[in-house]
């Protein structure tokens, strides 16, 4: 009986030893993999005027490098890369996909070039991908949809091309909060699947080459606060469902010369609106007389349209006497200050 107990104890000790060895090996491997990936990233920066990545000294743990954050639970695993506004010039290497514990990537306001690596799709823990204000080109990788926990996707102000991949619908249907793709060259239509974005709060799709109508499904994004669609090639009318979004605070859809002929009478239904920009469209007729229902407004701009300018067509101005928060009212090329305007009306 004692021999059996001794044998079992020996087996447990051997098993424990192997387990500890495996854990130590896994830690070492993960630690070195992350470090190696960061060193490749450093090597791809051809200009580093702020000296942030050039300060990554191999004599220090990579968790102590500037702009790098590591996990508290998983030693040596990189969880965040914060290198925004460092004036970096270079490319993002595919090796970034080896940083599998990454949750946040902030590379905004640099001069990064080349394509967005498809290897970002391997970062299933990623919640924030900030690449706006760079010089990135090519198409948006379809396999970003594999980042199932993505909440903030900032791709604005780059040189991306092609269509918005339909695969990104899986992000919208899960946790996506901010979707920014104002990048000048995107084509195709505004995806109707955005209407399934139950978590979406901010949507930036301006300055593209997108055509067709604004999908009525956009009016199903119940939490949407910011909707920016300005300067596309959109046609048709603004769906009334958009104005029924009581959460909507900021709405901009200017610069659509072939869009919208009359301002929808349902516009004042968007009672939560604070900033409304419908500039440089082809609106004709009269301005809706019930705009005064938008009591939360601080800015309203309808400049560069084709509204009627007769005395009777200005009757809507009296509706603004109760808009005590209004600061700017713009129906032409000059901005009318609300305080002065209300003085005239009273």
């Amino acid at each position: 009986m004692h021999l059996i107990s001794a044998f079992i104890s020996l087996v447990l000790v051997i098993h424990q030893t192997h387990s500890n060895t495996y854990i130590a090996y896994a830690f070492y491997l993960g630690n070195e993999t992350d470090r190696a990936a960061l060193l490749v990233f450093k090597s791809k920066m051809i200009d580093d005027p702020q000296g942030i990545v050039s300060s990554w000294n191999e004599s220090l743990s990579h968790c102590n490098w500037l702009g790098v954050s590591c996990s508290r639970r998983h030693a040596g695993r990189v969880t965040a890369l914060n290198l925004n506004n460092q004036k970096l010039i270079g490319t993002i290497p595919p090796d970034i996909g080896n940083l599998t514990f990454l949750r946040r990537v902030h590379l905004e306001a640099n001069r990064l070039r080349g394509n967005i690596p498809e290897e970002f799709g391997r970062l299933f823990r990623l919640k924030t991908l900030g690449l706006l204000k760079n010089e990135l080109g090519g198409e948006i990788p379809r396999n970003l949809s594999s980042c199932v926990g993505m909440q903030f996707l900032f791709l604005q102000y780059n040189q991306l091309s092609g269509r918005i991949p339909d695969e990104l619908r899986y992000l919208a249907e899960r946790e996506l909060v901010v979707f920014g793709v104002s990048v000048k060259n995107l084509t195709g239509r505004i995806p109707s699947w955005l209407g399934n974005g139950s978590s979406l709060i901010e949507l930036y799709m301006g300055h593209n080459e997108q055509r067709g109508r604004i999908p009525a499904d956009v009016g199903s994004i119940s939490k949407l606060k910011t909707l920016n669609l300005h300067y596309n090639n959109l046609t048709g009318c603004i769906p009334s469902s958009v104005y029924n979004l009581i959460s909507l605070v900021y709405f901009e859809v200017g610069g659509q010369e072939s869009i919208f002929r009359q301002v929808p009478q349902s516009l004042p239904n968007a009672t939560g609106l604070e900033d409304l920009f419908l500039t440089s469209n082809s609106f004709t007729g009269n301005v809706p007389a019930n705009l005064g229902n938008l009591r939360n407004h601080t800015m309203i701009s309808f400049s560069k349209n084709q509204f009627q300018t007769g005395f009777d067509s200005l009757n809507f101005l009296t509706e603004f006497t109760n808009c005590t928060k209004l600061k700017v009212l713009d129906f032409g090329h000059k901005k009318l200050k609300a305080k002065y305007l209300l003085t005239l009306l009273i």
Side-chain angles (χ1 to χ4, degrees):
M1 192 70 176
H2 292 292
L3 288 175
I4 295 174
S5 299
F7 177 75
I8 292 174
S9 298
L10 179 61
V11 170
L12 290 175
V13 169
I14 294 172
H15 175 74
Q16 185 65 40
T17 301
H18 280 288
S19 296
N20 291 339
T21 302
Y22 174 77
I23 292 171
Y25 176 74
F27 161 74
Y28 174 82
L29 182 62
N31 194 337
E32 289 303 306
T33 298
D34 285 18
R35 184 183 184 88
L38 291 174
L39 289 174
V40 174
F41 181 91
K42 174 183 177 179
S43 71
K44 295 298 181 180
M45 298 301 112
I46 60 176
D47 195 10
D48 176 21
Q50 309 280 29
I52 188 165
V53 297
S54 60
S55 71
W56 290 0
N57 192 324
E58 293 192 45
S59 64
L60 294 175
S61 166
H62 60 275
C63 293
N64 294 325
W65 291 349
L66 293 175
V68 178
S69 300
C70 288
S71 172
R72 294 180 180 179
R73 295 179 56 192
H74 305 278
R77 304 313 305 264
V78 177
T79 57
L81 197 57
N82 297 292
L83 298 172
N84 55 307
N85 201 27
Q86 296 298 321
K87 301 180 181 179
L88 295 170
I89 300 178
T91 59
I92 305 173
D95 303 69
I96 200 164
N98 293 334
L99 301 172
T100 53
F101 275 70
L102 267 179
R103 292 180 176 272
R104 301 184 308 278
V105 174
H106 290 285
L107 299 174
E108 299 98 327
N110 288 292
R111 295 184 60 189
L112 299 176
R113 301 165 179 172
N115 294 344
I116 299 174
E118 293 185 358
E119 285 75 11
F120 270 118
R122 293 165 52 182
L123 306 178
F124 65 92
R125 293 180 173 89
L126 196 63
K127 293 193 175 292
T128 300
L129 180 57
L131 300 176
L132 72 159
K133 294 184 180 179
N134 278 286
E135 300 173 9
L136 296 165
E139 297 187 352
I140 300 173
R142 298 177 182 274
N143 62 354
L144 285 180
S145 59
S146 298
C147 304
V148 292
M150 185 83 76
Q151 294 179 333
F152 304 95
L153 182 56
F154 301 101
L155 303 178
Q156 305 99 298
Y157 308 113
N158 278 286
Q159 299 171 11
L160 302 173
S161 58
R163 298 170 179 257
I164 297 173
D166 281 338
E167 287 81 356
L168 297 190
R169 70 190 309 150
Y170 301 116
L171 300 184
E173 291 169 357
R174 294 176 67 89
E175 301 180 39
L176 196 62
V177 175
V178 178
F179 186 37
V181 287
S182 301
V183 296
K184 294 185 180 180
N185 299 319
L186 291 183
T187 57
R189 296 175 178 269
I190 296 175
S192 60
W193 46 257
L194 287 169
N196 298 326
S198 58
S199 298
L200 271 175
I201 293 178
E202 299 179 18
L203 183 57
Y204 302 94
M205 304 184 71
H207 280 290
N208 284 306
E209 297 293 331
Q210 293 178 310
R211 301 178 179 274
R213 296 175 177 268
I214 299 174
D217 307 73
V218 173
S220 300
I221 310 174
S222 59
K223 296 181 182 179
L224 195 64
K225 291 185 177 181
T226 298
L227 178 58
N228 189 325
L229 303 174
H230 69 296
Y231 289 97
N232 277 285
N233 291 314
L234 302 174
T235 57
C237 298
I238 301 174
S240 59
S241 59
V242 172
Y243 300 123
N244 292 329
L245 288 171
I246 59 175
S247 60
L248 198 61
V249 174
Y250 180 100
F251 181 38
E252 184 169 3
V253 69
Q256 320 285 347
E257 294 185 0
S258 60
I259 200 173
F260 332 129
R261 290 302 171 183
Q262 290 187 332
V263 180
Q265 295 299 314
S266 57
L267 171 58
N269 291 346
T271 53
L273 269 177
E274 295 179 9
D275 299 315
L276 175 65
F277 296 91
L278 300 179
T279 60
S280 301
N281 291 300
S282 300
F283 289 125
T284 59
N286 295 328
V287 177
N290 52 356
L291 279 181
N293 293 345
L294 300 175
R295 303 294 175 85
N296 292 316
H297 253 58
T298 58
M299 298 185 68
I300 299 177
S301 178
F302 282 95
S303 67
K304 299 181 182 180
N305 280 288
Q306 301 174 27
F307 291 117
Q308 293 182 13
T309 57
F311 182 79
D312 292 340
S313 64
L314 299 178
N315 292 335
F316 73 92
L317 292 176
T318 59
E319 293 290 323
F320 291 106
T321 55
N322 294 320
C323 298
T324 56
K325 299 179 181 179
L326 191 62
K327 296 179 180 179
V328 176
L329 179 61
D330 183 4
F331 282 94
H333 294 279
K334 296 181 180 180
K335 295 180 178 179
L336 302 175
K337 299 298 181 183
K339 184 176 180 180
Y340 175 68
L341 174 65
L342 294 181
T343 300
L344 289 178
L345 295 177
I346 293 173

